[in-house]
Amino acid sequence: MSEKTPVDFWFDPSCPWAWMTSRWVLEVEKVRDIEVRWHLMSLAVLNEDRLEELPEQYREFLETKAWRPVRVVAAAEQKHGADVLGPLYTALGTRFHNNGEGPTAEAIAAALADVGLPADLIDYADQKDFEFDAELRASHKEGIEKVGQDVGTPVIAVPGPDGEQIAFFGPVVTPAPKGEEAARLWDGTLAVASVPGFYELKRSRTKGPDFSNL
């Protein structure tokens, strides 16, 4: 049996901040004995009951573009297994964020090709009665129930002091730390998870996502 520490990571492929955190946790895999297990969540699902409260531009994004990649990823997982999640997320995120292509149908189709998945998975992007909606929502619910509705993506769950999972939103960081810096942030994440009753550290963001070192 693996002795690596399991780290459950819920992501929406459209979110640049989740992308930054995901690249950090993959860096941690190189310097600490952890194993990342990927799960899908959805900003569109998270916000669907409060769209009228949101700025028009963000509301438009959630109602259209945000659904496409999560539907395709959910369909890929259901048809080809959970092992496709990590590689497909990397392909999507590289195109969406690093390359600046955004969550377009063309970028999604190219990402599918990048990892050798069937091209017809793109047909799920705009499927009105989405075939795997229940599975998508179940994955989203599993992650968000660990932290509560007043957060976003990413959600990570790590072992607490008694082995039970402790989940947090974040860490939100830019650029993604590398090497020993990545390890120190990981060690700090485990440290706060070990403190009963710890909930939050936060400061205002003064920089946008920096993809320059990815």
Side-chain angles (χ1 to χ4, degrees), residues 134-212:
E135 290 83 356
L136 166 60
R137 290 175 182 274
S139 179
H140 174 89
K141 182 180 179 182
E142 182 186 10
I144 209 68
E145 283 190 343
K146 294 178 182 294
V147 288
Q149 293 289 328
D150 58 338
V151 300
T153 175
V155 170
I156 65 169
V158 301
D162 298 322
E164 80 284 8
Q165 278 196 326
I166 303 295
F168 296 106
F169 162 62
V172 177
V173 61
T174 186
K178 300 289 188 180
E180 187 55 32
E181 186 180 27
R184 286 197 303 270
L185 180 56
W186 170 252
D187 294 341
T189 301
L190 289 185
V192 296
S194 71
V195 178
F198 175 84
Y199 290 102
E200 185 174 2
L201 277 173
K202 189 172 184 179
R203 63 175 177 167
S204 296
R205 278 176 268 177
T206 58
K207 296 180 180 179
D210 179 355
F211 310 123
S212 61

Side-chain angles (χ1 to χ4, degrees), residues 36-119:
V36 182
R37 303 186 298 202
W38 303 101
H39 308 275
L40 190 61
M41 64 181 294
S42 168
L43 290 171
V45 172
L46 181 67
N47 291 285
E48 63 184 352
D49 292 331
R50 61 185 196 99
L51 289 173
E52 296 305 317
E53 306 169 16
L54 301 174
E56 181 178 354
Q57 185 176 5
Y58 189 49
R59 183 169 66 247
E60 181 181 353
F61 163 76
L62 292 172
E63 291 178 321
T64 55
K65 296 178 181 178
W67 280 107
R68 291 172 180 162
V70 294
R71 284 174 178 153
V72 171
V73 173
E77 180 183 14
Q78 294 304 312
K79 296 178 72 107
H80 300 280
D83 287 346
V84 306
L85 287 176
L88 181 55
Y89 182 27
T90 291
L92 289 167
T94 300
R95 289 185 172 276
F96 290 0
H97 307 299
N98 295 10
N99 298 351
E101 298 175 38
T104 64
E106 293 78 10
I108 297 168
L112 291 170
D114 290 341
V115 294
L117 285 167

Side-chain angles (χ1 to χ4, degrees), residues 128-140:
K128 291 184 178 180
D129 295 317
F130 179 48
E131 181 179 345
F132 303 109
D133 187 66
E135 290 83 356
L136 166 60
R137 290 175 182 274
S139 179
H140 174 89

